[in-house]
Amino acid sequence: MDQELYSKERSASLDLLLRFQRLLVSKLYPADCVGQVPNTYSPDLLGVGSLLKKYTALLCTHISDILPVATSIASTSHRHFAEVSRVVDGDLTGILLPELVVSIVLLLSKNAGLMQEAGAIPLLAGLLEHLDRFNHLAPGKERDDNEDLAWPGIMGSFFTGQSCRNNEEVTLIRKADLENHNKDGGFWTVIDGKVYDIKDFQTQSLTGSSIL
């Protein structure tokens, strides 16, 4: 039901583009190439590949125009970043691009020769710099990078429940301590008997404190 509501909020032209994009991908899927001699493709299939390249080029041109402006506005503050992200998420960048990238990766794994023949992948590579600049503005980006770099060593011990600290160093927090801390404006929560401070996440979350 959420998906249907989300679909109704999209513009008719955007919905049409999404359907067209899915049609192109379905025509290129290897099921249409059963019995095909390797490295030889029908003119119809090559035509669809050429159409995918033109479609990708137009999409990338639009996104290349949008993202620098979005990055410039989003760099003003975290609040600006959140608002710009919401707008971008409802634009071609947030709706068409993610699905297109996943589809092309899938097609590449199924029929690399055809995708190389189509030539759409280098066009997507041109967006990496724009996307990277925008994503670097995300609040908590440094912390996320550090966590990614720490995996699977330090973070691995975290997920397996093995603390790298001695038991003597673990602080015991009573229920009254937690309640008093939260009354003073803190945001501690208990998950599986462990206390987590999610105050920083509260400022980033768009869902509201009640859901947290």
Side-chain angles (χ1 to χ4, degrees), residues 157-205:
S157 64
F158 170 80
F159 284 112
T160 55
Q162 300 171 350
S163 176
C164 56
R165 297 176 299 176
N166 295 327
N167 290 334
E168 292 77 16
E169 297 177 1
V170 176
T171 303
L172 297 178
I173 299 175
R174 298 172 302 170
K175 183 179 180 181
D177 296 331
L178 184 139
E179 291 174 349
N180 290 332
H181 179 81
N182 288 347
K183 284 179 182 177
D184 293 337
F187 210 120
W188 286 355
T189 187
V190 180
I191 303 173
D192 293 334
K194 296 180 181 178
V195 177
Y196 296 88
D197 187 351
I198 57 174
K199 181 70 176 177
D200 291 341
F201 183 72
Q202 181 188 17
T203 60
Q204 301 174 29
S205 174

mmCIF file of all heavy atoms in Angstrom, residues 157-205:
data_model
loop_
_atom_site.group_PDB
_atom_site.id
_atom_site.type_symbol
_atom_site.label_atom_id
_atom_site.label_comp_id
_atom_site.label_asym_id
_atom_site.label_seq_id
_atom_site.Cartn_x
_atom_site.Cartn_y
_atom_site.Cartn_z
ATOM 1 N N SER A 157 33.798 -7.455 16.411
ATOM 2 C CA SER A 157 33.631 -7.844 17.805
ATOM 3 C C SER A 157 32.371 -7.232 18.393
ATOM 4 O O SER A 157 31.739 -7.801 19.272
ATOM 5 C CB SER A 157 34.855 -7.405 18.618
ATOM 6 O OG SER A 157 34.963 -5.988 18.626
ATOM 7 N N PHE A 158 31.973 -6.067 17.859
ATOM 8 C CA PHE A 158 30.753 -5.415 18.331
ATOM 9 C C PHE A 158 29.526 -6.248 17.980
ATOM 10 O O PHE A 158 28.650 -6.486 18.799
ATOM 11 C CB PHE A 158 30.636 -4.021 17.717
ATOM 12 C CG PHE A 158 29.299 -3.364 17.944
ATOM 13 C CD1 PHE A 158 29.016 -2.751 19.149
ATOM 14 C CD2 PHE A 158 28.340 -3.373 16.960
ATOM 15 C CE1 PHE A 158 27.786 -2.150 19.360
ATOM 16 C CE2 PHE A 158 27.122 -2.768 17.159
ATOM 17 C CZ PHE A 158 26.838 -2.152 18.373
ATOM 18 N N PHE A 159 29.470 -6.723 16.721
ATOM 19 C CA PHE A 159 28.300 -7.475 16.288
ATOM 20 C C PHE A 159 28.241 -8.881 16.895
ATOM 21 O O PHE A 159 27.168 -9.447 17.027
ATOM 22 C CB PHE A 159 28.267 -7.566 14.757
ATOM 23 C CG PHE A 159 27.836 -6.304 14.096
ATOM 24 C CD1 PHE A 159 28.726 -5.557 13.336
ATOM 25 C CD2 PHE A 159 26.549 -5.832 14.252
ATOM 26 C CE1 PHE A 159 28.331 -4.375 12.731
ATOM 27 C CE2 PHE A 159 26.151 -4.656 13.646
ATOM 28 C CZ PHE A 159 27.045 -3.917 12.895
ATOM 29 N N THR A 160 29.380 -9.451 17.237
ATOM 30 C CA THR A 160 29.372 -10.784 17.827
ATOM 31 C C THR A 160 29.197 -10.715 19.336
ATOM 32 O O THR A 160 29.112 -11.735 20.006
ATOM 33 C CB THR A 160 30.689 -11.530 17.529
ATOM 34 O OG1 THR A 160 31.791 -10.722 17.970
ATOM 35 C CG2 THR A 160 30.817 -11.802 16.041
ATOM 36 N N GLY A 161 29.129 -9.499 19.871
ATOM 37 C CA GLY A 161 28.891 -9.333 21.292
ATOM 38 C C GLY A 161 30.133 -9.492 22.137
ATOM 39 O O GLY A 161 30.057 -9.553 23.366
ATOM 40 N N GLN A 162 31.304 -9.583 21.516
ATOM 41 C CA GLN A 162 32.549 -9.730 22.255
ATOM 42 C C GLN A 162 33.176 -8.361 22.457
ATOM 43 O O GLN A 162 33.627 -7.744 21.504
ATOM 44 C CB GLN A 162 33.523 -10.641 21.498
ATOM 45 C CG GLN A 162 32.982 -12.035 21.267
ATOM 46 C CD GLN A 162 33.864 -12.827 20.334
ATOM 47 O OE1 GLN A 162 34.776 -12.274 19.730
ATOM 48 N NE2 GLN A 162 33.583 -14.107 20.209
ATOM 49 N N SER A 163 33.196 -7.902 23.672
ATOM 50 C CA SER A 163 33.751 -6.589 23.964
ATOM 51 C C SER A 163 35.257 -6.676 24.061
ATOM 52 O O SER A 163 35.808 -7.616 24.607
ATOM 53 C CB SER A 163 33.165 -6.043 25.266
ATOM 54 O OG SER A 163 33.774 -4.826 25.593
ATOM 55 N N CYS A 164 35.938 -5.675 23.487
ATOM 56 C CA CYS A 164 37.390 -5.646 23.549
ATOM 57 C C CYS A 164 37.875 -5.039 24.866
ATOM 58 O O CYS A 164 39.055 -4.942 25.117
ATOM 59 C CB CYS A 164 37.964 -4.873 22.363
ATOM 60 S SG CYS A 164 37.339 -3.204 22.198
ATOM 61 N N ARG A 165 36.904 -4.594 25.688
ATOM 62 C CA ARG A 165 37.269 -4.056 26.990
ATOM 63 C C ARG A 165 37.063 -5.121 28.063
ATOM 64 O O ARG A 165 36.302 -6.061 27.896
ATOM 65 C CB ARG A 165 36.385 -2.839 27.321
ATOM 66 C CG ARG A 165 36.564 -1.680 26.357
ATOM 67 C CD ARG A 165 35.597 -0.564 26.676
ATOM 68 N NE ARG A 165 34.210 -1.018 26.562
ATOM 69 C CZ ARG A 165 33.174 -0.245 26.868
ATOM 70 N NH1 ARG A 165 33.360 0.967 27.325
ATOM 71 N NH2 ARG A 165 31.946 -0.699 26.719
ATOM 72 N N ASN A 166 37.737 -4.948 29.190
ATOM 73 C CA ASN A 166 37.545 -5.854 30.308
ATOM 74 C C ASN A 166 36.183 -5.615 30.944
ATOM 75 O O ASN A 166 35.627 -4.516 30.870
ATOM 76 C CB ASN A 166 38.643 -5.645 31.363
ATOM 77 C CG ASN A 166 40.014 -6.025 30.827
ATOM 78 O OD1 ASN A 166 40.128 -6.944 30.011
ATOM 79 N ND2 ASN A 166 41.036 -5.320 31.274
ATOM 80 N N ASN A 167 35.654 -6.645 31.582
ATOM 81 C CA ASN A 167 34.346 -6.520 32.210
ATOM 82 C C ASN A 167 34.330 -5.431 33.275
ATOM 83 O O ASN A 167 33.306 -4.814 33.543
ATOM 84 C CB ASN A 167 33.938 -7.865 32.821
ATOM 85 C CG ASN A 167 33.624 -8.890 31.750
ATOM 86 O OD1 ASN A 167 33.243 -8.518 30.654
ATOM 87 N ND2 ASN A 167 33.784 -10.172 32.070
ATOM 88 N N GLU A 168 35.509 -5.194 33.927
ATOM 89 C CA GLU A 168 35.558 -4.194 34.972
ATOM 90 C C GLU A 168 35.294 -2.789 34.432
ATOM 91 O O GLU A 168 34.891 -1.895 35.172
ATOM 92 C CB GLU A 168 36.938 -4.230 35.672
ATOM 93 C CG GLU A 168 37.199 -5.493 36.498
ATOM 94 C CD GLU A 168 37.547 -6.681 35.614
ATOM 95 O OE1 GLU A 168 37.883 -6.449 34.435
ATOM 96 O OE2 GLU A 168 37.485 -7.810 36.092
ATOM 97 N N GLU A 169 35.543 -2.579 33.136
ATOM 98 C CA GLU A 169 35.400 -1.246 32.559
ATOM 99 C C GLU A 169 33.988 -0.975 32.055
ATOM 100 O O GLU A 169 33.666 0.133 31.665
ATOM 101 C CB GLU A 169 36.394 -1.078 31.398
ATOM 102 C CG GLU A 169 37.852 -1.173 31.834
ATOM 103 C CD GLU A 169 38.790 -1.079 30.651
ATOM 104 O OE1 GLU A 169 38.284 -0.922 29.519
ATOM 105 O OE2 GLU A 169 40.005 -1.152 30.839
ATOM 106 N N VAL A 170 33.142 -1.986 32.045
ATOM 107 C CA VAL A 170 31.781 -1.810 31.546
ATOM 108 C C VAL A 170 30.940 -1.114 32.607
ATOM 109 O O VAL A 170 30.887 -1.547 33.764
ATOM 110 C CB VAL A 170 31.148 -3.178 31.186
ATOM 111 C CG1 VAL A 170 29.699 -2.983 30.757
ATOM 112 C CG2 VAL A 170 31.949 -3.838 30.085
ATOM 113 N N THR A 171 30.295 -0.006 32.235
ATOM 114 C CA THR A 171 29.480 0.762 33.180
ATOM 115 C C THR A 171 28.086 0.164 33.273
ATOM 116 O O THR A 171 27.433 -0.081 32.257
ATOM 117 C CB THR A 171 29.377 2.229 32.714
ATOM 118 O OG1 THR A 171 30.694 2.763 32.582
ATOM 119 C CG2 THR A 171 28.586 3.057 33.716
ATOM 120 N N LEU A 172 27.610 -0.065 34.483
ATOM 121 C CA LEU A 172 26.258 -0.558 34.699
ATOM 122 C C LEU A 172 25.328 0.633 34.893
ATOM 123 O O LEU A 172 25.586 1.508 35.728
ATOM 124 C CB LEU A 172 26.216 -1.473 35.929
ATOM 125 C CG LEU A 172 27.045 -2.757 35.834
ATOM 126 C CD1 LEU A 172 26.941 -3.539 37.139
ATOM 127 C CD2 LEU A 172 26.579 -3.613 34.663
ATOM 128 N N ILE A 173 24.267 0.680 34.121
ATOM 129 C CA ILE A 173 23.316 1.793 34.184
ATOM 130 C C ILE A 173 21.975 1.278 34.679
ATOM 131 O O ILE A 173 21.393 0.359 34.090
ATOM 132 C CB ILE A 173 23.147 2.446 32.788
ATOM 133 C CG1 ILE A 173 24.497 3.001 32.319
ATOM 134 C CG2 ILE A 173 22.105 3.554 32.833
ATOM 135 C CD1 ILE A 173 24.469 3.559 30.911
ATOM 136 N N ARG A 174 21.506 1.886 35.779
ATOM 137 C CA ARG A 174 20.219 1.483 36.340
ATOM 138 C C ARG A 174 19.080 2.129 35.558
ATOM 139 O O ARG A 174 19.279 3.103 34.833
ATOM 140 C CB ARG A 174 20.137 1.902 37.807
ATOM 141 C CG ARG A 174 21.199 1.258 38.707
ATOM 142 C CD ARG A 174 21.160 1.893 40.075
ATOM 143 N NE ARG A 174 21.392 3.339 39.999
ATOM 144 C CZ ARG A 174 21.225 4.175 41.016
ATOM 145 N NH1 ARG A 174 20.818 3.717 42.187
ATOM 146 N NH2 ARG A 174 21.470 5.457 40.870
ATOM 147 N N LYS A 175 17.898 1.563 35.724
ATOM 148 C CA LYS A 175 16.723 2.103 35.042
ATOM 149 C C LYS A 175 16.479 3.552 35.444
ATOM 150 O O LYS A 175 16.137 4.403 34.608
ATOM 151 C CB LYS A 175 15.495 1.251 35.366
ATOM 152 C CG LYS A 175 14.235 1.693 34.641
ATOM 153 C CD LYS A 175 13.045 0.787 34.972
ATOM 154 C CE LYS A 175 11.797 1.262 34.238
ATOM 155 N NZ LYS A 175 10.618 0.427 34.548
ATOM 156 N N ALA A 176 16.674 3.861 36.725
ATOM 157 C CA ALA A 176 16.467 5.234 37.212
ATOM 158 C C ALA A 176 17.472 6.189 36.567
ATOM 159 O O ALA A 176 17.130 7.337 36.239
ATOM 160 C CB ALA A 176 16.598 5.273 38.739
ATOM 161 N N ASP A 177 18.721 5.717 36.386
ATOM 162 C CA ASP A 177 19.740 6.555 35.737
ATOM 163 C C ASP A 177 19.319 6.892 34.311
ATOM 164 O O ASP A 177 19.476 8.028 33.846
ATOM 165 C CB ASP A 177 21.085 5.826 35.714
ATOM 166 C CG ASP A 177 21.627 5.589 37.117
ATOM 167 O OD1 ASP A 177 21.305 6.397 38.009
ATOM 168 O OD2 ASP A 177 22.367 4.605 37.307
ATOM 169 N N LEU A 178 18.803 5.888 33.612
ATOM 170 C CA LEU A 178 18.375 6.090 32.228
ATOM 171 C C LEU A 178 17.214 7.078 32.150
ATOM 172 O O LEU A 178 17.208 7.987 31.311
ATOM 173 C CB LEU A 178 17.977 4.743 31.615
ATOM 174 C CG LEU A 178 17.584 4.770 30.139
ATOM 175 C CD1 LEU A 178 18.155 3.548 29.401
ATOM 176 C CD2 LEU A 178 16.067 4.764 29.969
ATOM 177 N N GLU A 179 16.235 6.908 33.037
ATOM 178 C CA GLU A 179 15.070 7.797 33.022
ATOM 179 C C GLU A 179 15.469 9.239 33.340
ATOM 180 O O GLU A 179 14.985 10.181 32.698
ATOM 181 C CB GLU A 179 14.026 7.293 34.027
ATOM 182 C CG GLU A 179 13.374 5.969 33.597
ATOM 183 C CD GLU A 179 12.444 5.413 34.667
ATOM 184 O OE1 GLU A 179 12.469 5.935 35.807
ATOM 185 O OE2 GLU A 179 11.710 4.448 34.355
ATOM 186 N N ASN A 180 16.356 9.401 34.329
ATOM 187 C CA ASN A 180 16.810 10.760 34.688
ATOM 188 C C ASN A 180 17.604 11.398 33.544
ATOM 189 O O ASN A 180 17.481 12.597 33.278
ATOM 190 C CB ASN A 180 17.671 10.711 35.955
ATOM 191 C CG ASN A 180 16.855 10.375 37.194
ATOM 192 O OD1 ASN A 180 15.659 10.677 37.240
ATOM 193 N ND2 ASN A 180 17.480 9.772 38.189
ATOM 194 N N HIS A 181 18.431 10.586 32.880
ATOM 195 C CA HIS A 181 19.224 11.103 31.760
ATOM 196 C C HIS A 181 18.316 11.595 30.637
ATOM 197 O O HIS A 181 18.544 12.671 30.061
ATOM 198 C CB HIS A 181 20.161 10.006 31.240
ATOM 199 C CG HIS A 181 20.997 10.434 30.063
ATOM 200 N ND1 HIS A 181 22.158 11.168 30.202
ATOM 201 C CD2 HIS A 181 20.818 10.245 28.728
ATOM 202 C CE1 HIS A 181 22.666 11.413 29.004
ATOM 203 N NE2 HIS A 181 21.881 10.853 28.098
ATOM 204 N N ASN A 182 17.281 10.828 30.331
ATOM 205 C CA ASN A 182 16.373 11.211 29.246
ATOM 206 C C ASN A 182 15.514 12.415 29.625
ATOM 207 O O ASN A 182 15.140 13.212 28.761
ATOM 208 C CB ASN A 182 15.487 10.027 28.862
ATOM 209 C CG ASN A 182 16.258 8.947 28.108
ATOM 210 O OD1 ASN A 182 17.382 9.183 27.666
ATOM 211 N ND2 ASN A 182 15.666 7.780 27.962
ATOM 212 N N LYS A 183 15.204 12.552 30.910
ATOM 213 C CA LYS A 183 14.441 13.721 31.358
ATOM 214 C C LYS A 183 15.259 14.997 31.197
ATOM 215 O O LYS A 183 14.714 16.081 30.979
ATOM 216 C CB LYS A 183 14.045 13.555 32.827
ATOM 217 C CG LYS A 183 12.892 12.587 33.044
ATOM 218 C CD LYS A 183 12.568 12.455 34.526
ATOM 219 C CE LYS A 183 11.447 11.435 34.747
ATOM 220 N NZ LYS A 183 11.164 11.253 36.207
ATOM 221 N N ASP A 184 16.578 14.860 31.299
ATOM 222 C CA ASP A 184 17.479 16.015 31.169
ATOM 223 C C ASP A 184 17.798 16.352 29.713
ATOM 224 O O ASP A 184 18.680 17.173 29.440
ATOM 225 C CB ASP A 184 18.794 15.746 31.923
ATOM 226 C CG ASP A 184 18.576 15.672 33.431
ATOM 227 O OD1 ASP A 184 17.569 16.239 33.896
ATOM 228 O OD2 ASP A 184 19.407 15.049 34.122
ATOM 229 N N GLY A 185 17.107 15.700 28.774
ATOM 230 C CA GLY A 185 17.305 16.005 27.354
ATOM 231 C C GLY A 185 18.145 14.991 26.615
ATOM 232 O O GLY A 185 18.423 15.164 25.422
ATOM 233 N N GLY A 186 18.566 13.935 27.300
ATOM 234 C CA GLY A 186 19.338 12.890 26.628
ATOM 235 C C GLY A 186 18.436 11.960 25.835
ATOM 236 O O GLY A 186 17.203 12.106 25.838
ATOM 237 N N PHE A 187 19.047 11.014 25.161
ATOM 238 C CA PHE A 187 18.258 10.059 24.369
ATOM 239 C C PHE A 187 18.936 8.695 24.424
ATOM 240 O O PHE A 187 19.558 8.256 23.472
ATOM 241 C CB PHE A 187 18.117 10.542 22.919
ATOM 242 C CG PHE A 187 16.833 10.090 22.276
ATOM 243 C CD1 PHE A 187 15.908 11.010 21.806
ATOM 244 C CD2 PHE A 187 16.538 8.741 22.117
ATOM 245 C CE1 PHE A 187 14.723 10.603 21.213
ATOM 246 C CE2 PHE A 187 15.364 8.320 21.525
ATOM 247 C CZ PHE A 187 14.442 9.250 21.070
ATOM 248 N N TRP A 188 18.806 8.041 25.586
ATOM 249 C CA TRP A 188 19.311 6.680 25.742
ATOM 250 C C TRP A 188 18.183 5.694 25.486
ATOM 251 O O TRP A 188 17.021 5.971 25.810
ATOM 252 C CB TRP A 188 19.852 6.458 27.163
ATOM 253 C CG TRP A 188 21.164 7.119 27.438
ATOM 254 C CD1 TRP A 188 21.948 7.794 26.546
ATOM 255 C CD2 TRP A 188 21.846 7.170 28.695
ATOM 256 N NE1 TRP A 188 23.075 8.271 27.161
ATOM 257 C CE2 TRP A 188 23.051 7.897 28.481
ATOM 258 C CE3 TRP A 188 21.581 6.689 29.964
ATOM 259 C CZ2 TRP A 188 23.970 8.144 29.500
ATOM 260 C CZ3 TRP A 188 22.489 6.919 30.985
ATOM 261 C CH2 TRP A 188 23.672 7.644 30.758
ATOM 262 N N THR A 189 18.517 4.556 24.920
ATOM 263 C CA THR A 189 17.524 3.499 24.721
ATOM 264 C C THR A 189 18.172 2.154 25.029
ATOM 265 O O THR A 189 19.397 2.026 24.959
ATOM 266 C CB THR A 189 16.973 3.507 23.282
ATOM 267 O OG1 THR A 189 15.895 2.558 23.177
ATOM 268 C CG2 THR A 189 18.046 3.120 22.274
ATOM 269 N N VAL A 190 17.357 1.163 25.363
ATOM 270 C CA VAL A 190 17.866 -0.157 25.738
ATOM 271 C C VAL A 190 17.497 -1.175 24.666
ATOM 272 O O VAL A 190 16.323 -1.291 24.283
ATOM 273 C CB VAL A 190 17.294 -0.618 27.097
ATOM 274 C CG1 VAL A 190 17.841 -1.994 27.466
ATOM 275 C CG2 VAL A 190 17.630 0.398 28.179
ATOM 276 N N ILE A 191 18.511 -1.888 24.164
ATOM 277 C CA ILE A 191 18.308 -2.948 23.178
ATOM 278 C C ILE A 191 19.064 -4.175 23.654
ATOM 279 O O ILE A 191 20.288 -4.125 23.816
ATOM 280 C CB ILE A 191 18.810 -2.526 21.780
ATOM 281 C CG1 ILE A 191 18.116 -1.239 21.321
ATOM 282 C CG2 ILE A 191 18.567 -3.652 20.763
ATOM 283 C CD1 ILE A 191 18.671 -0.659 20.041
ATOM 284 N N ASP A 192 18.331 -5.245 23.902
ATOM 285 C CA ASP A 192 18.942 -6.499 24.370
ATOM 286 C C ASP A 192 19.819 -6.290 25.600
ATOM 287 O O ASP A 192 20.924 -6.829 25.703
ATOM 288 C CB ASP A 192 19.776 -7.147 23.249
ATOM 289 C CG ASP A 192 18.903 -7.630 22.102
ATOM 290 O OD1 ASP A 192 17.715 -7.920 22.354
ATOM 291 O OD2 ASP A 192 19.404 -7.705 20.966
ATOM 292 N N GLY A 193 19.333 -5.479 26.535
ATOM 293 C CA GLY A 193 20.045 -5.310 27.795
ATOM 294 C C GLY A 193 21.221 -4.359 27.756
ATOM 295 O O GLY A 193 21.920 -4.175 28.756
ATOM 296 N N LYS A 194 21.455 -3.717 26.599
ATOM 297 C CA LYS A 194 22.559 -2.763 26.474
ATOM 298 C C LYS A 194 22.001 -1.368 26.216
ATOM 299 O O LYS A 194 21.009 -1.215 25.501
ATOM 300 C CB LYS A 194 23.506 -3.171 25.335
ATOM 301 C CG LYS A 194 24.208 -4.503 25.590
ATOM 302 C CD LYS A 194 25.128 -4.858 24.435
ATOM 303 C CE LYS A 194 25.813 -6.205 24.678
ATOM 304 N NZ LYS A 194 26.681 -6.587 23.553
ATOM 305 N N VAL A 195 22.658 -0.361 26.779
ATOM 306 C CA VAL A 195 22.201 1.020 26.642
ATOM 307 C C VAL A 195 22.932 1.699 25.488
ATOM 308 O O VAL A 195 24.169 1.649 25.422
ATOM 309 C CB VAL A 195 22.436 1.810 27.948
ATOM 310 C CG1 VAL A 195 22.014 3.270 27.770
ATOM 311 C CG2 VAL A 195 21.657 1.171 29.092
ATOM 312 N N TYR A 196 22.163 2.306 24.599
ATOM 313 C CA TYR A 196 22.740 3.013 23.443
ATOM 314 C C TYR A 196 22.325 4.480 23.489
ATOM 315 O O TYR A 196 21.172 4.807 23.782
ATOM 316 C CB TYR A 196 22.250 2.397 22.128
ATOM 317 C CG TYR A 196 22.701 0.971 21.917
ATOM 318 C CD1 TYR A 196 21.951 -0.103 22.394
ATOM 319 C CD2 TYR A 196 23.878 0.692 21.232
ATOM 320 C CE1 TYR A 196 22.361 -1.416 22.205
ATOM 321 C CE2 TYR A 196 24.302 -0.612 21.033
ATOM 322 C CZ TYR A 196 23.542 -1.662 21.522
ATOM 323 O OH TYR A 196 23.956 -2.947 21.327
ATOM 324 N N ASP A 197 23.278 5.351 23.169
ATOM 325 C CA ASP A 197 23.017 6.789 23.086
ATOM 326 C C ASP A 197 22.743 7.135 21.630
ATOM 327 O O ASP A 197 23.639 7.106 20.788
ATOM 328 C CB ASP A 197 24.222 7.576 23.605
ATOM 329 C CG ASP A 197 23.932 9.076 23.687
ATOM 330 O OD1 ASP A 197 22.867 9.502 23.187
ATOM 331 O OD2 ASP A 197 24.766 9.803 24.242
ATOM 332 N N ILE A 198 21.482 7.464 21.303
ATOM 333 C CA ILE A 198 21.118 7.752 19.910
ATOM 334 C C ILE A 198 20.747 9.227 19.728
ATOM 335 O O ILE A 198 19.986 9.590 18.842
ATOM 336 C CB ILE A 198 19.951 6.850 19.440
ATOM 337 C CG1 ILE A 198 18.725 7.002 20.354
ATOM 338 C CG2 ILE A 198 20.378 5.386 19.391
ATOM 339 C CD1 ILE A 198 17.505 6.251 19.838
ATOM 340 N N LYS A 199 21.316 10.063 20.602
ATOM 341 C CA LYS A 199 21.041 11.495 20.538
ATOM 342 C C LYS A 199 21.465 12.078 19.190
ATOM 343 O O LYS A 199 20.724 12.846 18.579
ATOM 344 C CB LYS A 199 21.784 12.203 21.677
ATOM 345 C CG LYS A 199 21.557 13.719 21.729
ATOM 346 C CD LYS A 199 20.143 14.043 22.146
ATOM 347 C CE LYS A 199 19.939 15.544 22.305
ATOM 348 N NZ LYS A 199 18.539 15.876 22.652
ATOM 349 N N ASP A 200 22.664 11.707 18.703
ATOM 350 C CA ASP A 200 23.143 12.241 17.433
ATOM 351 C C ASP A 200 22.248 11.797 16.283
ATOM 352 O O ASP A 200 21.997 12.562 15.349
ATOM 353 C CB ASP A 200 24.582 11.777 17.178
ATOM 354 C CG ASP A 200 25.568 12.426 18.140
ATOM 355 O OD1 ASP A 200 25.202 13.457 18.733
ATOM 356 O OD2 ASP A 200 26.678 11.895 18.305
ATOM 357 N N PHE A 201 21.779 10.559 16.348
ATOM 358 C CA PHE A 201 20.916 10.041 15.270
ATOM 359 C C PHE A 201 19.568 10.743 15.264
ATOM 360 O O PHE A 201 18.950 10.898 14.216
ATOM 361 C CB PHE A 201 20.718 8.536 15.441
ATOM 362 C CG PHE A 201 19.910 7.904 14.339
ATOM 363 C CD1 PHE A 201 20.447 7.740 13.070
ATOM 364 C CD2 PHE A 201 18.608 7.494 14.558
ATOM 365 C CE1 PHE A 201 19.712 7.177 12.054
ATOM 366 C CE2 PHE A 201 17.858 6.932 13.544
ATOM 367 C CZ PHE A 201 18.418 6.764 12.286
ATOM 368 N N GLN A 202 19.121 11.210 16.440
ATOM 369 C CA GLN A 202 17.837 11.884 16.537
ATOM 370 C C GLN A 202 17.796 13.144 15.683
ATOM 371 O O GLN A 202 16.797 13.447 15.050
ATOM 372 C CB GLN A 202 17.554 12.250 18.005
ATOM 373 C CG GLN A 202 16.215 12.945 18.229
ATOM 374 C CD GLN A 202 16.061 13.456 19.650
ATOM 375 O OE1 GLN A 202 17.045 13.567 20.382
ATOM 376 N NE2 GLN A 202 14.861 13.764 20.046
ATOM 377 N N THR A 203 18.930 13.866 15.631
ATOM 378 C CA THR A 203 18.984 15.100 14.856
ATOM 379 C C THR A 203 18.995 14.826 13.356
ATOM 380 O O THR A 203 18.600 15.670 12.559
ATOM 381 C CB THR A 203 20.234 15.907 15.215
ATOM 382 O OG1 THR A 203 21.405 15.131 14.934
ATOM 383 C CG2 THR A 203 20.230 16.273 16.683
ATOM 384 N N GLN A 204 19.446 13.627 12.957
ATOM 385 C CA GLN A 204 19.509 13.291 11.535
ATOM 386 C C GLN A 204 18.223 12.659 11.037
ATOM 387 O O GLN A 204 17.880 12.757 9.868
ATOM 388 C CB GLN A 204 20.655 12.307 11.277
ATOM 389 C CG GLN A 204 22.024 12.819 11.671
ATOM 390 C CD GLN A 204 23.069 11.742 11.515
ATOM 391 O OE1 GLN A 204 22.947 10.857 10.683
ATOM 392 N NE2 GLN A 204 24.109 11.798 12.330
ATOM 393 N N SER A 205 17.498 11.984 11.939
ATOM 394 C CA SER A 205 16.336 11.209 11.529
ATOM 395 C C SER A 205 15.179 12.122 11.150
ATOM 396 O O SER A 205 14.916 13.132 11.789
ATOM 397 C CB SER A 205 15.896 10.282 12.663
ATOM 398 O OG SER A 205 14.683 9.630 12.330
#
